[in-house]
Structure formats: C-alpha cells, structure tokens
C-alpha cells in the first residue's frame, strides 16, 4: 500500500499460493478507505483478492492495461466459481456434522462488480490517478498485459519516483515481447520469485526438449499430462505443439490428439487470439502476418463440459492432456493425474513453478504416493520438467532489470518471493552497494527517508503448541480417514449397477443398520 497526499493506493491484491511462512497482517485501513488499486497483471496471486476487497467496501478505480482487464474478466469469475463450489462442498459436510456454515471469500457477483471498477492504463501514457499521484505502465514481459508500475508523487513540494516491478518476465519467450527496462527511480519495490536460482545456461531449445518427451512417452504407449496455468503457460505450450506438428517432429504418431481441458484456458486463448500486435514479439507477429494462428492447430481438441473431460479417459491413442491448475491444487488436472500417475508408461510434465506445500511440488520432489479424492495412489509415471520453461526472470534477469536504473535507487525493497529467495537476492544487491530491505508483512517505511515507521509481524505461521497441535493433526487424520471410507462406499455403490435387486436390497439394509447404530 502506497500512501501519499492522504490517499491510499494498493499495488496488486493477490491470493497467496502455497503455504504461509509468516502470519499475514490485515489491511491497516478499512477496504472502503482504499482510494485506488493499480494491478500489474491478471495472475491470481496478484489479482485474486480484489473481489474480496470489493465485498468489504472498496469502490475506487482499479487501473490496469486493457489485456489485463480482459483476462481478469474471466479469471476472477473463475476464481469466484471455485470459492462458491468449495463453500457448497464444505457446507454439505457441515450440514451432516452440525458445524458452522462456511462463507466463500467472495461470489461471482462480487467478481463481476470488481471488473466494472477497472479502468485502462496503457503502456504509452502517463495518467494522474489521484491528486499528486501519476502512473505510467511499462511492459514487464511476463504475461499478456503485464506491467511494471511507475508512480510520480508530489507531496508538500517533495517529488519521488517509485517503481513497483510486478512480475518481471523471462527473455526470449514465445508470443510476448521481452521485458522493457526503466531507467529512473528513487525507490524500487521488486519481486524475487527466482532470486536464488538461475535458468539453464545458454539458449534452450524448448521445441526439441518437448519433442523428445512426447516421442519417448508415446513410443511406450502413454499419455503426457501437463499441469499448466490456464493463462500464459498454456498458450506457450500450444505455440510449441503447433510447431512440432507443423514440422512432423514426432514420428510414428501422426495426428496425436492434444486435449485442452480447461474452460478458463480456452477463454484465455481466445483473448490472446484477439489481442493486438503491440503485445507480441516479432516472431509471433510474423506468423500472424502469414495467416498462421500460432496457438491453434488441427488436432487440438477443446474440452468445455465435464462430459467432454471424462471422455479423455477413453482415448485409446497416446495423447497430450493440458489442464489446470498449474500447481495441481484444484481443477480438472487432479482427475487426469489420478488416471495417469500410477501408469508406468505415462509422463507428468511440469512446465511452471511449483510452490512449497502444493501437490505439484510434492510430486516434483519425488513423492512415492499421493492422495487424491480420498484415495492413495502410487506414483509410477515418469515425472519430468520442461527445462528452463519459466515466465519469470531468473536471478540474473532480476539483477539486469534493477541494474538498468541510473543513478542507483536510494532504496530497494525485495518482496514476492519465498524467504530464502528474497534474502539471497537481497544479499546479491547489497554486495553491489544497493540499500536493500526485505520487509515482513505489516512493515511500514517512509520512502523519503527510508526510515521504518512501524514493524509488522515476525511470527511464523502454523506453529501451534502442545496438545492443541496434536489434536488438530489427529482431527485432520480422522477426517481424511472418514472421507476415504465414504469415497470407497460411493465407489462400491457406483460399481453395482449390474447387481441383482436382491444384492442391492441387502446392501441398502446394511447401510441403514450402520446409520441407525451411529444415530
């Protein structure tokens, strides 16, 4: 939150992915007192709590690029649908147990009303968003419409240039332009997702790497299942697959089907298709000028309904299945993993970052067994990653971005990265003479003097003591055991469609007796 001239501006308002390291502090003012929001891009970890902000009283303007607004129109509604679906599922359980009713974070109506507050901020123009506060967006090269946000602030005769990086993109990516660099700032607040890591050295031939994985998996009769973020990463993979098919790079499996099983990804791909050339790199625009759609091809099959999704399981040919979510935490991908991860001929191919605590990270870290839908499943499939396929700049890319400021900013604040990554990158900058701070949740600073004016929380999340922690663990285990038993019973009932009426009546009577015993 940036405060100047008595006004409060939020830069992004996202939903945290993976587990919390430290306890997050609440917004220090009522949502209704926030005057404006500047949104750097549409990914849910940057935009996902905007409908909750609206629900709690925010009615100001949300500034974003046109492409970001179009993507948020589908992504926030999809997030709200997930919130409502989870609430419905939890409340069915609560009704059985007498537990308190669960209220979703927000609804689809909240999401729709949030999008109505969005106002275009282009890459080309500086806009005064509040008295004494002007905004200029610069292409960050991370996602369609992504931006770094530069504020020019005048307060009591003092002027400061404050830059928020947003997520900085990787270079030489398909579809999008490389990140554009800024050169003047007094204060920089920047991300550190890959602040302690480097992508593979040299140029990576994504198409050759993906071709090799497809060839190997198809030759042994298996499917390639790709958990993919619906917006950005999915379109990159389609770009590579089109080239593979166009040049017949996979041998012996002509016409192999590619299933895009994500309604959100389908809608997002349509937005990519309809976006202007100003967002795309030279290679993408060259293909478009030849009448070639770079992210569409003959054997691409779009699955919108649940029935279409289920039919993929009956595909007899080796195929590619692209589905969300990218970290395997929700959505249809969990069903496809369930149907494929136990097969030795299949490949689960990760194409994006997996946060600590997510199912995707556990699989990638070598889990031998996983639990899905109350069922324990053996991991027999090949687990692979597409080398260096990341939409984020690595440690060197982040350093190059901040080094472009001349003169050096007075202060650099490192945010938006796991603790080890943020600290590692801060150490790198300090060695080069930068004045660097790694804030905790709730820390406040005077950006003129650099002085810390309030300390936030240093309390680690999820640390409970003694019997309370033990009780919670036992309760979770008991809940999982009960869910597993219920799933087994449901599977048993579902499998009995061909049973005789006598056997069905016998099972029904036994279930009734069990219910009466526990009532």
């Amino acid at each position: 939150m940036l405060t100047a001239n008595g006004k409060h501006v939020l830069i992004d308002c996202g939903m945290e992915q993976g587990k919390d390291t430290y306890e997050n502090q609440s917004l220090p003012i009522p949502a209704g007192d926030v005057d404006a929001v500047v949104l750097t891009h549409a990914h849910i970890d940057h935009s996902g709590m905007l409908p909750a902000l609206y629900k709690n009283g925010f009615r100001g303007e949300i500034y974003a690029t046109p492409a970001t607004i179009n993507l948020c129109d589908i992504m926030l509604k999809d997030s709200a649908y997930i919130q409502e679906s989870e609430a419905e599922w939890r409340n069915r359980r609560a009704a059985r147990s007498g537990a308190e009713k669960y209220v979703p974070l927000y609804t689809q109506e909240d999401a729709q009303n949030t999008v109505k507050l969005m106002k275009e901020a282009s890459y080309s123009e500086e806009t005064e968003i509040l008295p004494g506060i002007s905004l200029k967006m610069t292409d960050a090269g991370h996602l369609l419409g992504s931006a770094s946000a530069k504020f020019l602030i005048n307060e009591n005769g003092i002027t400061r240039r404050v830059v928020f990086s947003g997520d900085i993109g990787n270079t030489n990516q398909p579809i999008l332009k490389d990140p554009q660099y800024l050169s003047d700032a007094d204060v920089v607040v920047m991300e550190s997702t890959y602040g302690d890591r480097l992508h593979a050295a040299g140029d990576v031939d994504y198409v050759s790497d993906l071709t090799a994985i497809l060839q190997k998996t198809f030759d042994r009769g298996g499917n390639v299942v790709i958990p993919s973020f619906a917006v950005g990463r999915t379109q990159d993979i389609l770009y590579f697959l089109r080239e593979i098919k166009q040049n017949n790079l996979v041998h012996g499996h002509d016409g192999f089907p590619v299933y895009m099983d994500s309604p959100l990804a389908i809608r997002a791909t349509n937005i990519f298709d309809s976006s202007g050339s100003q967002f795309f790199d030279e290679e993408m625009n060259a293909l478009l000028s030849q009448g070639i759609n770079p992210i569409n091809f003959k054997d691409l099959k779009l699955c919108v309904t649940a029935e279409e999704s289920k039919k993929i399981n009956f595909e007899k040919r080796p195929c590619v299945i692209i589905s969300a979510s990218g970290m395997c935490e929700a959505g249809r991908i969990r069903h496809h993993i369930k149907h494929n991860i136990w097969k030795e001929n299949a490949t689960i191919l990760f194409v994006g970052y997996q946060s600590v605590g997510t199912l995707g990270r556990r699989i990638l870290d070598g889990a031998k067994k996983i639990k899905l839908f109350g069922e324990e499943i053996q991991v027999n499939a090949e687990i692979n990653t597409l080398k260096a396929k990341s939409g984020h700049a690595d440690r060197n890319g982040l350093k190059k971005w901040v080094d472009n400021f001349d003169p050096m900013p007075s202060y650099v604040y490192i945010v938006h990265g796991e603790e080890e990554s943020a600290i590692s990158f801060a150490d790198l900058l300090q060695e080069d003479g930068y004045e660097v701070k790694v804030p905790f949740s709730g820390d406040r600073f005077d950006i003129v003097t650099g002085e810390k004016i309030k300390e936030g929380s240093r309390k680690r999340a999820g640390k409970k003591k003694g019997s309370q922690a033990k009780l919670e663990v036992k309760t979770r285990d008991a809940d999982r055991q009960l869910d597993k038993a219920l799933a087994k019973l449901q599977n048993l009932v579902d499998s009995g469609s061909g049973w005789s009426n006598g056997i069905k009546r016998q099972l029904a009577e036994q279930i009734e007796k069990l219910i009466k015993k526990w009532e």
Side-chain angles (χ1 to χ4, degrees):
M1 184 175 74
L2 179 64
T3 300
N5 297 319
K7 301 295 184 181
H8 307 290
V9 182
L10 290 187
I11 295 83
D12 294 340
C13 189
M15 186 179 293
E16 189 163 4
Q17 308 293 296
K19 68 177 183 179
D20 294 341
T21 304
Y22 293 92
E23 287 190 354
N24 290 322
Q25 300 303 288
S26 301
L27 194 65
I29 59 174
D33 289 350
V34 175
D35 295 287
V37 175
V38 172
L39 181 59
T40 63
H41 65 286
H43 278 150
I44 291 299
D45 62 328
H46 290 256
S47 69
M49 290 300 285
L50 284 172
L53 192 73
Y54 173 88
K55 181 179 180 179
N56 290 323
F58 171 72
R59 294 297 183 271
E61 291 178 322
I62 302 170
Y63 291 88
T65 64
T68 295
I69 294 173
N70 289 336
L71 289 173
C72 280
D73 188 37
I74 59 173
M75 294 180 72
L76 294 182
K77 291 174 186 175
D78 184 74
S79 177
Y81 172 77
I82 292 172
Q83 301 295 327
E84 291 176 326
S85 297
E86 182 180 5
E88 183 181 352
W89 174 76
R90 287 193 181 193
N91 287 331
R92 283 200 299 268
R93 295 187 63 187
R96 294 193 297 267
S97 64
E100 188 175 336
K101 189 175 181 180
Y102 178 81
V103 179
L105 283 172
Y106 49 82
T107 65
Q108 293 181 73
E109 183 179 1
D110 294 327
Q112 187 170 346
N113 287 330
T114 299
V115 174
K116 290 179 182 177
L117 298 177
M118 292 187 170
K119 186 172 182 178
E120 291 187 3
S122 71
Y123 292 141
S124 58
E125 297 178 0
E126 184 175 291
T127 305
E128 185 175 59
I129 61 172
L130 292 165
I133 304 176
S134 295
L135 168 69
K136 175 72 163 51
M137 299 292 226
T138 300
D139 193 343
H142 171 67
L143 177 71
L144 190 73
S146 65
S148 298
K150 177 183 175 182
F151 294 86
L152 182 63
I153 304 170
N154 292 293
E155 182 182 58
N156 298 327
I158 300 174
T159 300
R160 284 294 181 274
R161 300 159 298 177
V162 185
V163 171
F164 291 79
S165 70
D167 281 355
I168 301 166
N170 203 351
T171 56
N172 300 318
Q173 293 294 291
I175 302 177
L176 300 178
K177 292 178 180 178
D178 285 352
Q180 305 299 297
Y181 297 100
L182 296 90
S183 58
D184 57 329
D186 300 299
V187 177
V188 169
V189 182
M190 69 177 297
E191 62 114 334
S192 57
T193 307
Y194 278 86
D196 60 346
R197 280 156 290 176
L198 298 175
H199 300 321
D203 293 331
V204 178
D205 189 342
Y206 301 122
V207 170
S208 293
D209 288 349
L210 181 55
T211 299
I213 292 167
L214 296 179
Q215 188 75 59
K216 182 180 177 183
T217 307
F218 291 171
D219 285 350
R220 62 180 182 235
N223 299 326
V224 176
V225 179
I226 304 178
S228 184
F229 300 95
V231 182
R233 195 56 43 79
T234 289
Q235 290 72 39
D236 289 348
I237 297 301
L238 293 178
Y239 188 97
F240 299 144
L241 287 168
R242 176 204 56 80
E243 185 172 342
I244 288 170
K245 282 183 164 291
Q246 178 179 309
N247 296 319
N248 299 312
L249 300 180
V250 173
H251 305 296
H253 304 280
D254 293 344
F256 67 87
V258 175
Y259 291 94
M260 183 159 65
D261 187 23
S262 168
L264 176 61
I266 293 168
R267 293 194 293 271
T269 302
N270 290 336
I271 290 175
F272 272 71
D273 280 341
S274 61
S275 295
S277 60
Q278 71 269 24
F279 294 108
F280 302 138
D281 61 16
E282 291 181 5
E283 187 178 357
M284 177 82 166
N285 282 325
L287 291 169
L288 290 170
S289 68
Q290 298 171 42
I292 298 172
N293 187 329
I295 52 177
N296 202 350
F297 43 86
K298 179 183 176 183
D299 301 302
L300 178 62
K301 302 179 185 298
L302 309 181
C303 300
V304 177
T305 68
E307 283 303 312
E308 289 170 335
S309 177
K310 292 174 183 176
K311 286 180 180 178
I312 299 173
N313 297 323
F314 299 98
E315 174 61 68
K316 295 180 180 179
R317 295 170 294 172
C319 65
V320 175
I321 304 169
I322 306 170
S323 189
S325 71
M327 296 186 191
C328 311
E329 285 294 277
R332 296 180 180 181
I333 187 61
R334 293 168 71 86
H335 294 275
H336 295 303
I337 287 176
K338 176 185 175 182
H339 284 283
N340 287 275
I341 200 167
W342 59 272
K343 299 176 181 178
E344 293 182 356
N345 60 3
T347 295
I348 310 298
L349 177 61
F350 290 98
V351 295
Y353 182 70
Q354 305 297 307
S355 288
V356 173
T358 62
L359 176 60
R361 182 64 169 264
R362 292 197 296 276
I363 295 171
L364 198 56
D365 284 347
K368 302 300 182 185
K369 293 182 179 180
I370 61 170
K371 280 191 175 180
L372 279 172
F373 310 108
E375 182 180 346
E376 191 171 72
I377 304 171
Q378 188 79 26
V379 178
N380 296 324
E382 178 182 345
I383 309 302
N384 213 329
T385 58
L386 195 58
K387 294 177 182 177
K389 184 70 203 74
S390 175
H392 283 271
D394 66 1
R395 181 180 175 93
N396 287 344
L398 294 173
K399 183 67 162 51
K400 180 179 179 182
W401 184 87
V402 72
D403 281 346
N404 203 69
F405 290 100
D406 187 16
M408 184 181 289
S410 300
Y411 308 103
V412 178
Y413 298 88
I414 305 298
V415 298
H416 196 60
E418 291 174 8
E419 185 177 20
E420 297 82 0
S421 180
I423 292 173
S424 174
F425 188 62
D427 289 344
L428 176 68
L429 295 189
Q430 285 173 335
E431 290 173 4
D432 275 4
Y434 286 90
E435 180 71 31
V436 186
K437 303 176 190 298
V438 185
F440 286 77
S441 180
D443 282 357
R444 298 188 202 179
F445 296 88
D446 184 320
I447 58 174
V448 174
T449 66
E451 177 188 2
K452 182 187 289 184
I453 55 179
K454 182 175 181 183
E455 190 164 282
S457 173
R458 267 67 176 160
K459 187 176 180 181
R460 288 188 173 269
K463 299 289 184 182
K464 296 194 170 85
K465 297 180 180 178
S467 60
Q468 181 186 2
K470 292 178 182 177
L471 178 61
E472 289 186 1
V473 170
K474 289 180 179 178
T475 300
R476 287 196 297 272
D477 288 344
D479 285 342
R480 291 192 195 102
Q481 191 173 355
L482 181 59
D483 284 345
K484 187 175 180 179
L486 288 171
K488 284 184 175 180
L489 178 60
Q490 185 62 58
N491 288 337
L492 177 65
V493 173
D494 290 344
S495 67
S497 58
W499 293 348
S500 69
N501 290 334
I503 292 177
K504 289 180 181 178
R505 280 194 293 270
Q506 186 179 354
L507 178 59
E509 288 169 2
Q510 290 176 358
I511 293 173
E512 289 288 348
K513 286 180 182 178
L514 184 64
I515 292 171
K516 287 179 181 178
K517 177 181 178 179
W518 288 95
E519 284 179 336

